[in-house]
Amino acid sequence: MASQSTGGTGAARNWSAYQFEIYLNGLAGTVPRMPTDLTRLEAVATARLGPGPVGYVAGSAGNGRTERANRAALDRWRIVPRMLRDVSARDLAVEVLGTVLPAPLALAPVGVLSIVHPDAELAAARAAAAQNVPYILSSVSSTPMEQVAAAMGDGERWFQLYWGKDREVTRSFLRRAKASGFSALFVTLDTPLLSWRPRDLDQAYLPFLRGVGTANYFSDPAFQAGLAKPVDEDRDAAVLHFVGMFADPGKTWADLAFLREHWDGPIVLKGVLHPDDARQAADAGMDGVVVSNHGGRQVNGAIGSLDALPGVVAAVGDRLDVLFDSGIRTGDDVFKALALGARAVLLGRPYAYGLGLDGQAGVEHVIRALLSEFDLTLALAGHTSAAGLTPQALSRTD
């Protein structure tokens, strides 16, 4: 695992070199297996993968109004390039949760990845480790956390918790994650219940009811203790037990003390949009927040995440690490989020599409393409440091 304080990043990686690698491969007649415009991935995945899996990954709450708000929020800001600045060397490194990362990117927690590719989380985790970006494993992964950790070697890994009703299962998850080398805990707050998701409903498609995305639960001794029979003897009963304990709409801010008691590393709250919630997170002793509306998957008609980011940064940016997700698709999206105060961004759907289309190689392509485009955008806009971007690099269009 990466140290909690690496003390430096060494030589900065030239992320933009990926474009020349692609061009040089073209001399031998080889073109990329996947689009380099990552906004095209959903359409390609839709053409190649089944409607149930694609709908689950791509779908949003209601009629998709919040997902569109995420895009509109990002598009409201424009980069203002500056000229005649020495941008021959750039450094994309940032410090997040006490660790220096080589780029301001982590792979967001996306569950049930076996629905898009049989290698599932193992392929995504290996891709993240190969490119030296953190991987956040979802509680509802198709692969037990211990296997994912083993696949990553010493790669930086963080664990995402869906905070259910059963305290013993939560304690067990935290013990297992810590023993497996997950260094930070990301707690998703915005999913106390599943939202109304028409794309899934129209297909009557919920992977959990098929026992998919339950690997951490079915392998957990505390979960197994609540079953009358072993999972392999009565899988339907295990699924029903999972459904009954997964969500807990009764959680309050006071419950955070339980997590702090049982996790001795950084804790980040994911799904914060209101400055007052961010202040409560800081007051509760949390280490970070992710400004996120779950990619538009939970509350239809909610505020776009980027519209919420400046207010959260103003409220707690001097007390917590503020991360961002929901809508990141391009290098300029990364630029805008960092300029408005995010320490780093989380990438979700695009890497899931990359996984579905080309396994580990597809995820690596998505990571490299996004960071290459960001590196080039940084330089062409007249900047050399990801950590040094400020709102002065942008202009708002309304």
Side-chain angles (χ1 to χ4, degrees):
M1 290 296 299
S3 166
Q4 283 297 304
S5 180
T6 63
T9 61
R13 176 171 173 177
N14 181 11
W15 292 96
S16 66
Y18 187 43
Q19 69 166 338
F20 291 108
E21 180 181 322
I22 292 172
Y23 286 134
L24 288 173
N25 287 338
L27 296 177
T30 301
V31 298
R33 291 165 56 88
M34 290 168 46
T36 56
D37 174 0
L38 301 184
T39 67
R40 294 178 51 211
L41 288 174
E42 181 178 339
V44 177
T46 298
R48 296 186 189 176
L49 305 178
V54 169
Y56 183 82
V57 174
S60 297
N63 67 356
R65 188 176 293 117
T66 302
E67 184 179 1
R68 294 193 294 276
N70 286 333
R71 184 70 261 154
L74 283 156
D75 288 343
R76 268 191 288 275
W77 291 94
R78 297 286 188 268
I79 297 169
V80 183
R82 301 296 303 276
M83 299 295 116
L84 292 177
R85 294 180 168 187
D86 182 358
V87 294
S88 56
R90 282 91 56 202
D91 187 359
L92 270 59
V94 294
E95 184 174 337
V96 177
L97 303 175
T99 296
V100 176
L101 306 178
L105 176 70
L107 296 192
V110 178
V112 297
L113 286 176
S114 62
I115 66 175
V116 297
H117 195 280
D119 292 341
E121 292 81 14
L122 294 176
R126 290 185 183 115
Q131 296 303 318
N132 202 17
V133 301
Y135 178 66
I136 309 177
L137 178 69
S138 173
S139 287
V140 291
S141 60
S142 305
T143 313
M145 64 183 84
E146 292 83 1
Q147 293 181 28
V148 174
M152 291 195 71
D154 62 356
E156 187 72 30
R157 49 190 177 269
W158 302 332
F159 183 72
Q160 177 267 341
L161 178 70
Y162 278 120
W163 196 3
K165 294 178 181 177
D166 192 318
R167 284 195 163 199
E168 291 306 315
V169 171
T170 298
R171 285 192 186 97
S172 183
F173 271 29
L174 299 185
R175 285 194 296 266
R176 292 170 61 194
K178 181 59 69 173
S180 298
F182 292 88
S183 62
L185 180 67
F186 281 63
V187 185
T188 296
L189 301 184
D190 58 17
T191 315
L193 299 167
L194 286 181
S195 68
W196 186 259
R197 299 178 183 173
R199 288 190 68 167
D200 295 337
L201 290 164
D202 290 349
Q203 297 287 330
Y205 185 83
L206 186 62
F208 308 118
L209 298 185
R210 296 170 167 85
V212 180
T214 55
N216 286 316
Y217 298 84
F218 287 5
S219 62
D220 190 82
F223 180 88
Q224 293 168 357
L227 301 175
K229 296 180 180 180
V231 173
D232 58 359
E233 292 183 17
D234 194 343
R235 193 172 181 84
D236 289 345
V239 168
L240 290 175
H241 184 53
F242 163 80
V243 171
M245 56 80 64
F246 172 72
D248 185 3
K251 289 285 193 295
T252 69
W253 290 97
D255 292 305
L256 289 172
F258 174 84
L259 296 181
R260 180 51 76 193
E261 178 184 355
H262 294 282
W263 183 266
D264 61 4
I267 300 178
V268 179
L269 303 185
K270 183 174 182 289
V272 171
L273 295 168
H274 196 289
D276 287 348
D277 287 346
R279 293 185 185 97
Q280 286 193 267
D283 292 343
M286 301 295 101
D287 300 278
V289 294
V290 182
V291 176
S292 168
N293 57 31
H294 215 111
R297 292 171 64 79
Q298 280 302 102
V299 178
N300 197 34
I303 185 174
S305 285
L306 199 75
D307 285 338
L309 178 61
V312 172
V313 170
V316 299
D318 59 342
R319 301 171 67 189
L320 301 177
D321 283 4
V322 179
L323 310 181
F324 176 84
D325 86 4
S326 299
I328 296 293
R329 297 292 182 271
T330 64
D332 61 288
D333 290 344
V334 178
F335 185 107
K336 293 171 185 178
L338 297 183
L340 291 175
R343 291 282 187 94
V345 304
L346 311 186
L347 185 72
R349 286 181 176 107
Y351 91 77
Y353 299 137
L355 173 67
L357 293 170
D358 202 16
Q360 178 180 338
V363 180
E364 291 197 49
H365 168 79
V366 169
I367 294 170
R368 297 185 72 191
L370 183 73
L371 290 177
S372 181
E373 185 179 17
F374 170 61
D375 189 6
L376 291 165
T377 301
L378 188 73
L380 293 169
H383 301 274
T384 59
S385 169
L389 291 173
T390 68
Q392 283 67 47
L394 304 177
S395 175
R396 190 176 170 103
T397 61
D398 62 0

